[in-house]
């Protein structure tokens, strides 16, 4: 950490896990730069400032290079002690029934934009030989996601990428942690049009608890953490169950209308 007040960037921080991660940072004494692609990010900043920390908000589309550049410029050259790359987007229904611009948005948000942001901030951390990176992956990345095919694949990418980047940074003081939550009580399922599915209707983990687990893992320098014992069991099972079986099981949870079956 730097000698001054530690500084964290949190993306996807307007609601859900991202907002809770920002709260964790604030409680731990970090000044904050938070970002999301919706006006609610300003309300989140107002709330977070009540904790006494400096909080700046940027409304930007982090699926684009322009949006990521805008976020980085808002840091005004201040060294970033922690990057919590949480911005993500879901998409339900069968792949061939989805509008391709929506498909592209998921990939650009979850993968391309996330990697560009990590590349920019990570290089600055490497030059200083100091910093922490938290990537929000998902246990969805362990399972072929029938009726969430692109989303699950994007999270598989992030899970894999985080382990690779961590190994590349092994001889530095920069840590890389992957938070892999399961279904969490956020706006994700409404935005992904999954409310009529079993997974959308099922009981979910608390976003605050998930975020605290991820934040603590980041601060401890852990490589990865799966939140919740049920999710730990599911992720372990995914390593031994054939992919075809996993895809069939996922269909039962994510197929439109499955909430009523």
């Amino acid at each position: 950490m730097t000698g001054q007040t530690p500084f964290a960037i949190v993306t996807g921080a307007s609601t859900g896990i991202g907002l809770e991660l920002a709260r964790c940072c604030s409680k731990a004494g970090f000044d904050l730069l938070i970002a999301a692609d919706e006006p609610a990010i300003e309300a989140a900043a107002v709330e977070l400032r009540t904790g006494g920390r400096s909080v700046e908000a940027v409304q930007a589309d982090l699926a684009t290079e322009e949006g990521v550049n805008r976020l980085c410029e808002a840091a005004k050259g201040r060294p970033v002690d922690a990057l919590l790359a949480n911005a993500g987007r879901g998409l339900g229904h069968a792949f061939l029934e989805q509008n391709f611009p929506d498909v592209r948005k998921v990939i650009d948000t979850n993968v391309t934009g996330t990697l560009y942001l990590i590349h920019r901030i990570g290089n600055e951390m490497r030059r200083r030989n100091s910093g922490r990176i938290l990537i929000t992956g998902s246990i969805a990345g362990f399972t072929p996601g029938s009726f969430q095919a692109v989303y699950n694949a994007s999270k598989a990418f992030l899970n894999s990428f985080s382990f690779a980047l961590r190994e590349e940074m092994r001889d530095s003081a920069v840590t890389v942690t992957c938070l892999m939550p399961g279904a969490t009580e956020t706006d994700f399922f409404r935005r992904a049009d999954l409310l009529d599915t079993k997974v959308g209707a099922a009981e979910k983990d608390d976003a605050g608890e998930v975020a605290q687990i991820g934040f603590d893992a980041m601060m401890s320098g852990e490589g990865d953490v799966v939140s919740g014992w049920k999710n730990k069991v599911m992720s372990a099972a995914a390593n031994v169950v054939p992919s075809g079986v996993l895809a069939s099981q996922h269909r039962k949870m994510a197929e439109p209308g499955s909430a009523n079956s």
Side-chain angles (χ1 to χ4, degrees), residues 9-232:
I9 293 177
V10 187
T11 66
S14 55
T15 60
I17 294 173
L19 177 56
E20 295 296 342
L21 285 170
R23 287 172 176 154
C24 291
C25 289
S26 178
K27 291 175 184 176
F30 284 82
D31 286 342
L32 285 164
L33 174 59
I34 59 174
D37 63 355
E38 59 183 1
I41 194 65
E42 296 293 345
V46 170
E47 179 211 317
L48 290 164
R49 289 186 190 112
T50 63
R53 306 307 326 164
S54 170
V55 182
E56 298 297 328
V58 174
Q59 183 180 341
D61 184 358
L62 300 179
T64 67
E65 287 191 21
E66 293 80 7
V68 172
N69 288 339
R70 182 179 174 196
L71 172 60
C72 292
E73 289 162 6
K76 299 177 181 177
R78 184 172 179 180
V80 179
D81 298 291
L83 170 63
L84 295 86
N86 170 79
R89 185 177 296 271
L91 187 63
H93 295 275
F95 172 67
L96 294 180
E97 296 173 3
Q98 295 166 347
N99 294 318
F100 195 76
D102 295 334
V103 171
R104 181 66 182 269
K105 190 76 170 181
V106 171
I107 297 170
D108 287 346
T109 303
N110 298 6
V111 177
T112 310
T114 298
L115 263 60
Y116 181 46
L117 176 62
I118 293 172
H119 193 268
R120 285 205 56 173
I121 301 299
N123 267 299
E124 182 261 326
M125 289 179 170
R126 184 174 62 173
R127 284 191 291 271
R128 290 188 294 114
N129 196 33
S130 177
R132 305 177 190 277
I133 298 171
L134 178 68
I135 300 169
T136 301
S138 174
I139 66 164
F142 298 125
T143 303
S146 308
F147 297 91
Q148 274 184 280
V150 176
Y151 172 76
N152 282 36
S154 74
K155 290 299 182 176
F157 183 104
L158 289 179
N159 292 353
S160 174
F161 171 78
S162 70
F163 284 107
L165 180 61
R166 179 179 176 84
E167 177 61 24
E168 292 177 1
M169 301 300 291
R170 184 178 64 181
D171 296 328
S172 79
V174 179
T175 63
V176 181
T177 304
C178 187
L179 169 62
M180 294 180 278
T184 305
E185 194 61 59
T186 68
D187 285 340
F188 172 86
F189 294 93
R190 176 185 60 80
R191 292 174 174 175
D193 196 16
L194 288 163
L195 293 180
D196 66 339
T197 66
K198 279 189 177 180
V199 67
E203 184 177 352
K204 301 173 185 64
D205 296 332
D206 178 75
E209 293 178 4
V210 169
Q212 190 66 58
I213 289 168
F215 179 81
D216 291 344
M218 178 190 74
M219 296 302 293
S220 298
E222 296 176 37
D224 64 289
V225 60
V226 176
S227 59
W229 69 268
K230 289 183 180 179
N231 299 324
K232 293 179 190 294

